[in-house]
Amino acid sequence: MTSLEDLKHIFLLIVTLTTPVGAMLNSFLLLANCRNLSELPPSSLLAFWFSFYDNVNLLSSFTVSVPSLFGTFDNNANSTSAACQAHGIIELISGLGSISICFGLTFIRYSVIVWKVYPRRTFVAIFVVVSATTAAVVSVTPSVIGNASTQYVLRASGVYCMAAWYYSPAFTGVCLSILALPLCSIAYAYAHIYYCVTSVRVKIVVSITPGQEAVSKEGTITVRAANEVEEVGEKQNALLLQTVTIVSTFLVGWMPYAALVLQEVITREPASALFDFIAIYFVLLMATFNPIVIMVFDKPIRKNAGRALAPLSKLVELRRK
């Protein structure tokens, strides 16, 4: 039967092999778009920062898994070393930062569809700075307090450091309270967006004769105006699909870890090493595949990625000739 130490070694090996792939994908997305940040629309700019937080998470996990795999990291159970504190801070900042970006993406779609207000890039810049500052303050607090019940510890899986949720009810309560507001807001926003899209969508009966008026729920409009409304609606639906896909990927990736936190809070016992690994590995997988999702559904970011690959494709063509 496989011992716990052998199991941890397998966990570390899996993380060590996975995180570089995700880091390379996110780094490519970031490098391909960093020169054109001024050209990205607000939603794409937030998606860029989403990839940034994912990359930080992956690189941080890699810096723990590799030393642990070769025995140079303090991987004793419940280790509270300085390296573990630093890793825990970075992990929590990336997690809180990611959920704030999801909230920002949802807010932009909500303001455009429901309020008919188009947020500017200035709003995105302020939002990113405020959310990053808040995440940093919350994440650093446990180490500053220095209380044994709030410090970050090496988790049961041995692949990352984080708060002992079962042992620090006060800090866990603060984190859950911070997460509850954006999550509830996201749920409400999409419910309201769905209601608006289904109940207020203009249903046009277009006549064959050009210029003739078409009947809709909103009254009478010309065929040309009707086509313009339909075109704008299709564009917003595409942007809505982009946002929903990115946010859904995030929620699916973090759902197992949310279940782990709730289990530890309720039972006041640490989760098993296997459950702990599965929960954090879902997060790492989400961070690995997220740049692919962003490039598929975000046209401006995909366009910049294509530009970055253009010299490589030309080189391949020249070699073939």
Side-chain angles (χ1 to χ4, degrees):
M1 186 176 180
T2 306
S3 66
L4 181 58
E5 290 303 318
D6 292 336
L7 202 58
K8 287 183 178 180
H9 191 81
I10 295 173
F11 294 161
L12 289 169
L13 184 61
I14 294 173
V15 171
T16 302
L17 294 174
T18 302
T19 49
V21 177
M24 285 188 291
L25 289 171
N26 281 285
S27 296
F28 169 72
L29 185 151
L30 295 172
L31 292 173
N33 288 271
C34 63
R35 292 184 179 181
N36 302 295
L37 284 180
S38 60
E39 301 175 5
L40 293 178
S43 59
S44 298
L45 191 57
L46 281 178
F48 173 88
W49 287 109
F50 197 2
S51 181
F52 171 80
Y53 282 120
D54 284 343
N55 207 28
V56 169
N57 188 7
L58 290 164
L59 291 173
S60 176
S61 298
F62 183 74
T63 58
V64 170
S65 64
V66 172
S68 297
L69 193 62
F70 292 97
T72 58
F73 187 84
D74 184 8
N75 59 355
N76 295 320
N78 296 323
S79 170
T80 57
S81 64
C84 197
Q85 298 305 301
H87 176 68
I89 290 171
I90 294 172
E91 285 279 292
L92 193 56
I93 288 176
S94 64
L96 294 177
S98 295
I99 187 64
S100 68
I101 295 298
C102 285
F103 173 74
L105 286 168
T106 303
F107 178 80
I108 288 177
R109 290 279 71 80
Y110 184 87
S111 63
V112 170
I113 294 175
V114 179
W115 295 337
K116 311 300 180 186
V117 175
Y118 292 79
R120 297 182 178 180
R121 289 172 50 82
T122 306
F123 162 78
V124 175
I126 295 173
F127 178 83
V128 170
V129 171
V130 171
S131 61
T133 303
T134 303
V137 170
V138 173
S139 303
V140 172
T141 299
S143 295
V144 172
I145 294 175
N147 192 318
S149 64
T150 60
Q151 286 188 324
Y152 298 107
V153 300
L154 187 68
R155 296 287 306 184
S157 60
V159 300
Y160 73 109
C161 295
M162 186 50 66
W165 306 111
Y166 59 92
Y167 190 56
S168 50
F171 181 63
T172 303
V174 171
C175 290
L176 290 177
S177 299
I178 293 173
L179 292 175
L181 179 59
L183 288 176
C184 292
S185 300
I186 288 172
Y188 169 79
Y190 283 119
H192 198 181
I193 288 172
Y194 176 78
Y195 171 78
C196 291
V197 169
T198 55
S199 62
V200 185
R201 179 179 295 171
V202 180
K203 294 183 179 179
I204 306 165
V205 180
V206 181
S207 175
I208 296 176
T209 306
Q212 188 175 357
E213 291 184 336
V215 181
S216 73
K217 285 186 177 181
E218 304 297 327
T220 58
I221 57 177
T222 64
V223 171
R224 181 178 180 181
N227 290 335
E228 290 178 355
V229 169
E230 187 177 3
E231 183 178 350
V232 172
E234 289 178 356
K235 182 178 179 180
Q236 289 304 321
N237 286 339
L239 292 173
L240 178 61
L241 176 61
Q242 164 201 324
T243 303
V244 170
T245 304
I246 294 174
V247 172
S248 298
T249 303
F250 171 84
L251 294 177
V252 170
W254 279 91
M255 200 173 295
Y257 199 83
L260 179 143
V261 174
L262 290 176
Q263 176 190 308
E264 291 195 351
V265 170
I266 294 172
T267 63
R268 305 300 296 273
E269 295 289 338
S272 66
L274 180 60
F275 186 20
D276 190 57
F277 170 74
I278 291 174
I280 194 63
Y281 193 63
F282 260 81
V283 175
L284 296 177
L285 282 179
M286 179 275 298
T288 299
F289 288 105
N290 200 41
I292 299 175
V293 173
I294 292 175
M295 284 187 282
V296 168
F297 288 94
D298 195 298
K299 186 177 180 180
I301 287 181
R302 183 174 66 250
K303 186 177 180 180
N304 290 331
R307 288 175 181 174
L309 290 174
L312 181 61
S313 61
K314 290 181 180 179
L315 181 61
V316 172
E317 289 179 3
L318 287 175
R319 287 189 175 183
R320 286 181 179 177
K321 292 179 180 179

